[in-house]
Amino acid sequence: VSIAQQCYPQRHWRPMRDIDLLVIAEDQPRFEQILRELGFRQQGAQPASFFAGHHHSMPFHHPSARLWIEVHTGLFRPDSAAGRIPAFQPKALNAQRVALTHESADIARLPDELQLVYTAVHWGTKLTRVGGIVPVFDTVLLLKQVGAELDWGRVLAICEDPTAARHLTLMLAYLERHGLYRVPDIVWSGLAQGRRSLGRIGLRILLDTIDAYLAGGKHPSGFTSDAVLNIRWDTLLGEGDAGRKLMQLPWRMLFPPADSRRYDPMRLLRRARSLWQRF
């Protein structure tokens, strides 16, 4: 909502599946009760146990308004790498909020520098093919709107966290690849740790993946299924040395860490057949 109001020529041009609202944890019970009084009901594909320790509760849906709302107490799960970024902690967020003009409510948004990094990190936490290019538009419009007023020193301070540095490096590198934004040299120098962690080869693979499957709309199949693409994405964009991640990638693609049947002979045979058919 805030990025649509602040940066898009018409608010409705920014597609949204739901509305994410960030509240102080102490206010969450009362706020959710108000939603229920307004006719919202909690429902979702995941059981209630899934949301224990999550950064938002089960989504709220209003049947007649056809509106979905997620009530967040954090930007990311607290046990995730993104959730441990210091600038994303609840106290830090509460201290940095900026008043957002609204006709009927007293609300706030993230400051521009934090919004920039958050958009990049949220974009990179999962390879999302449908709608996955929208955060790129958000970033381009935000940079165009803010212009020279953006405090890059503040951005780089947030990116002292390596997770933030890697994700912002990927976003800015993609903008430069297509001539959408000229990143100042001082910014690239400040993101040196992010660039080293991705590496030249790893960064190129990630950029090619975005072009093919997010911007290009290429449909994944066989050995490049959604699951395999996400392994490629998570491995190369994850923590660790760039060279080591490249060495781990083929093994992780052949034997997905999250798959309990990764060493099953029949599964391996099907994957080998799929790979053979590609050639």
Side-chain angles (χ1 to χ4, degrees), residues 168-196:
L168 186 60
T169 295
L170 177 62
M171 175 66 83
L172 295 180
Y174 189 73
L175 299 188
E176 276 213 338
R177 170 181 262 207
H178 294 284
L180 297 171
Y181 186 74
R182 171 70 172 85
V183 182
D185 292 339
I186 191 173
V187 174
W188 281 135
S189 298
L191 291 172
Q193 66 168 333
R195 296 166 67 188
R196 284 194 300 269

Side-chain angles (χ1 to χ4, degrees), residues 33-252:
Q33 180 58 34
I34 292 173
L35 289 178
R36 294 187 184 94
E37 293 170 359
L38 291 172
F40 285 87
R41 295 294 178 265
Q42 283 185 285
Q43 62 183 80
Q46 301 291 346
S49 58
F50 172 83
F51 297 95
H54 209 54
H55 59 298
H56 65 78
S57 58
M58 183 180 289
F60 285 80
H61 179 245
H62 197 291
S64 60
R66 295 187 296 175
L67 182 66
W68 289 88
I69 289 179
E70 285 185 356
V71 181
H72 287 243
T73 54
L75 297 181
F76 300 95
R77 282 188 63 101
D79 57 354
S80 67
R84 292 190 291 270
I85 296 175
F88 292 168
Q89 301 310 303
K91 288 184 178 180
L93 293 173
N94 193 41
Q96 299 178 77
R97 60 185 179 180
V98 176
L100 178 64
T101 302
H102 193 277
E103 293 84 353
S104 58
D106 180 15
I107 56 179
R109 64 171 176 85
L110 301 179
D112 298 325
E113 294 79 11
L114 193 59
Q115 180 69 54
L116 174 65
V117 181
Y118 165 70
T119 301
V121 175
H122 189 271
W123 180 57
T125 53
K126 183 180 180 182
L127 181 64
T128 304
R129 291 189 299 107
V130 179
I133 206 68
V134 172
V136 176
F137 287 102
D138 291 347
T139 303
V140 170
L141 292 173
L142 177 64
L143 291 170
K144 180 180 179 181
Q145 176 77 20
V146 177
E149 297 178 6
L150 188 74
D151 186 346
W152 281 108
R154 189 176 182 182
V155 172
L156 295 177
I158 299 171
C159 290
E160 290 178 3
D161 179 274
T163 298
R166 289 192 306 274
H167 287 75
L168 186 60
T169 295
L170 177 62
M171 175 66 83
L172 295 180
Y174 189 73
L175 299 188
E176 276 213 338
R177 170 181 262 207
H178 294 284
L180 297 171
Y181 186 74
R182 171 70 172 85
V183 182
D185 292 339
I186 191 173
V187 174
W188 281 135
S189 298
L191 291 172
Q193 66 168 333
R195 296 166 67 188
R196 284 194 300 269
S197 181
L198 294 178
R200 294 182 63 181
I201 297 176
L203 180 58
R204 181 171 180 176
I205 293 173
L206 289 168
L207 295 175
D208 288 346
T209 300
I210 298 167
D211 276 340
Y213 296 98
L214 274 66
K218 184 177 179 181
H219 185 72
S221 61
F223 200 69
T224 55
S225 64
D226 273 320
V228 174
L229 283 175
N230 272 286
I231 290 172
R232 178 199 300 181
W233 184 265
D234 294 341
T235 300
L236 296 178
L237 194 52
E239 300 178 71
D241 175 75
R244 181 176 297 179
K245 289 188 290 187
L246 281 174
M247 293 175 63
Q248 292 174 338
L249 184 58
W251 182 267
R252 291 170 63 92

